[in-house]
Amino acid sequence: MNYLIIVAFVGGPVVAGAWWFSSCQGRMQACYSSFRGAISGVDRLAQARQLSIHGGFTASPRMVAFQVPLGDGVDGIVLLDRVSEAQRLIATNNYTHWSPRLSMDGERLVFVRQMVRSEERELLSCEVITWHCSVLFRTKAALSSPVDVQNGDVIFSTTVQKANGSRGFDVFVVRKGQMPVRLTNYEAFTLSPISVGGNKIAFGAGGSRSLDSSPCADGKILECDMSVIYVLEFDPSTAKILNKPTTVAPRFTVAGYSTSPILSGDGKWVAFLNTNRKGNPWRYHMVVADLHGVVHDEVSVEGLGFSSGAFVDNSLLVNELFEDHYRILSVDLFSRRVTSMRLNHSPDYLKAIEPIVLAIDESPAMR
């Protein structure tokens, strides 16, 4: 219990939200109710927006997609065309959806869904052109952060049972028609988001004796620069983590508190959320650094909060939450040119968006 309190306090809204999101996947209605009052003076739907913005944001050369609360205790996935700004929505009746991620070429979207009042979650991979989808995996455990690594393999985070009966998160890989394979053994309290770039895999995680996240002296945790960002060697052709250490330290630590890493496609850059711990609540800005921890750029948050980032070629994209809309920023990392798209986030507006009808392959999925 002591560790839980420290995580929620030190990480501020982002880390507390990440814990809440991981523990509440697929039972959003109950969790929305239990979380009421946690953000004083903010209504239930506004709380849902503040928490779900960390649940998934993704981009490809053609589109962006992200998770949105629909106002009835379930989440959908909205897709915006980056050229025409046309909008479409995945919102299957009686299902909630989370953690969307586009493949690097934009041809597939992977995400997780769950029927309301069911305990079973499903990991789906859908062809974007036809919206024909395959169920890769079904489980009653928590699921998050699927990543399509382009060769039929999908990396994701799910819970495992520890020797003491409690649960922790680890990284797994699955492909259609095969059983999932466990890639890490860290049994983390949180583990999301995951990203793959070049020959690296990165993830944000905390709460495991195998993950060293706090170099701080006792009682000095608010004065200490911290990171919960981990980077390991990865072979995408075999979907294996190479030279896997038993105990792993954060890849780098920059000023402030850093979380929610996303790698560029070539694995040379990482974008992450960072706060200088000033103000209440903390303001999480988007930072771009190389894998040695040298900071090259920063995007300052102006609204209520940023999602995790997404790299597309030489641009960094991020979703920003405001009181009455979302703003998707695209920052060219060389010219610093910034473009944006806006989406009204009222439930009535979202539900009026053209729906996407999924064709689900009903063949048996792995469990």
Side-chain angles (χ1 to χ4, degrees):
M1 181 60 70
N2 289 339
Y3 185 78
L4 174 61
I5 293 172
I6 290 172
V7 169
F9 183 48
V10 171
V14 167
V15 173
W19 164 80
W20 177 90
F21 182 78
S22 296
S23 65
C24 292
Q25 290 166 2
R27 52 189 189 91
M28 295 298 185
Q29 289 174 311
C31 283
Y32 288 166
S33 297
S34 69
F35 212 83
R36 291 185 71 180
I39 307 173
S40 177
V42 179
D43 66 38
R44 186 173 174 180
L45 185 55
Q47 291 177 27
R49 293 190 188 106
Q50 291 179 13
L51 294 166
S52 71
I53 196 170
H54 304 295
F57 173 75
T58 182
S60 72
R62 182 70 189 187
M63 69 180 66
V64 298
F66 54 95
Q67 177 182 333
V68 290
L70 299 175
D72 53 4
V74 298
D75 283 24
I77 296 170
V78 67
L79 294 98
L80 298 180
D81 189 292
R82 295 181 58 194
V83 177
S84 68
E85 299 193 16
Q87 305 163 5
R88 300 187 72 186
L89 181 69
I90 297 174
T92 311
N93 286 342
N94 298 318
Y95 277 88
T96 190
H97 310 74
W98 64 93
S99 287
R101 188 76 67 87
L102 288 157
S103 59
M104 194 174 301
D105 57 15
E107 294 182 359
R108 291 170 302 283
L109 179 73
V110 291
F111 60 93
V112 188
R113 72 171 192 169
Q114 182 177 18
M115 182 177 288
V116 174
R117 292 182 292 277
S118 170
E119 295 183 1
E120 194 166 70
R121 288 97 170 174
E122 296 178 332
L123 174 57
L124 271 66
S125 176
C126 300
E127 300 292 333
V128 169
I129 293 178
T130 63
W131 291 109
H132 179 270
C133 306
S134 298
V135 180
L136 303 181
F137 181 49
R138 290 190 176 100
T139 182
K140 293 183 178 179
L143 284 174
S144 70
S145 201
V147 180
D148 183 311
V149 294
Q150 296 288 102
N151 59 0
D153 292 318
V154 174
I155 307 290
F156 63 97
S157 170
T158 190
T159 49
V160 295
Q161 187 152 345
K162 300 181 183 180
N164 63 4
S166 64
R167 288 186 172 270
F169 282 86
D170 266 300
V171 180
F172 286 71
V173 63
V174 69
R175 63 167 52 214
K176 185 178 180 180
Q178 298 183 12
M179 290 293 295
V181 176
R182 186 173 179 175
L183 298 183
T184 65
N185 294 277
Y186 298 131
E187 298 180 345
F189 185 70
T190 63
L191 200 161
S192 181
I194 302 170
S195 65
V196 173
N199 62 345
K200 300 288 188 294
I201 183 170
F203 51 89
S208 167
R209 291 184 177 88
S210 299
L211 299 171
D212 179 11
S213 61
S214 178
C216 308
D218 291 344
K220 300 292 185 180
I221 202 162
L222 292 181
E223 302 172 16
C224 181
D225 296 333
M226 289 180 60
S227 167
V228 289
I229 296 172
Y230 302 90
V231 180
L232 302 174
E233 295 180 57
F234 181 73
D235 182 355
S237 65
T238 61
K240 292 184 178 179
I241 294 176
L242 308 176
N243 306 316
K244 183 169 52 182
T246 303
T247 301
V248 60
R251 177 67 184 222
F252 53 77
T253 301
V254 301
Y257 180 83
S258 303
T259 185
S260 299
I262 294 291
L263 289 169
S264 61
D266 58 12
K268 295 180 179 180
W269 302 95
V270 58
F272 54 91
L273 298 179
N274 172 271
T275 177
N276 59 15
R277 299 184 299 268
K278 295 179 181 179
N280 184 20
W282 294 346
R283 304 280 291 172
Y284 284 84
H285 306 288
M286 181 67 65
V287 170
V288 180
D290 61 31
L291 293 189
H292 300 291
V294 178
V295 173
H296 290 259
D297 215 337
E298 179 176 305
V299 182
S300 297
V301 65
E302 296 178 1
L304 302 175
F306 274 149
S307 68
S308 55
F311 285 99
V312 178
D313 298 326
N314 296 323
S315 295
L316 172 68
L317 290 88
V318 63
N319 189 19
E320 187 173 15
L321 176 65
F322 291 85
E323 289 186 358
D324 61 351
H325 68 282
Y326 298 103
R327 181 175 69 174
I328 298 90
L329 297 176
S330 176
V331 182
D332 187 295
L333 297 176
F334 292 114
S335 69
R336 291 290 298 164
R337 179 174 179 264
V338 179
T339 58
S340 66
M341 296 187 296
R342 173 181 170 135
L343 179 74
N344 185 326
H345 60 40
S346 72
D348 289 342
Y349 182 87
L350 292 172
K351 290 177 182 178
I353 293 175
E354 178 188 356
I356 292 173
V357 179
L358 304 178
I360 308 294
D361 183 353
E362 297 297 340
S363 61
M366 297 298 102
R367 296 176 184 270

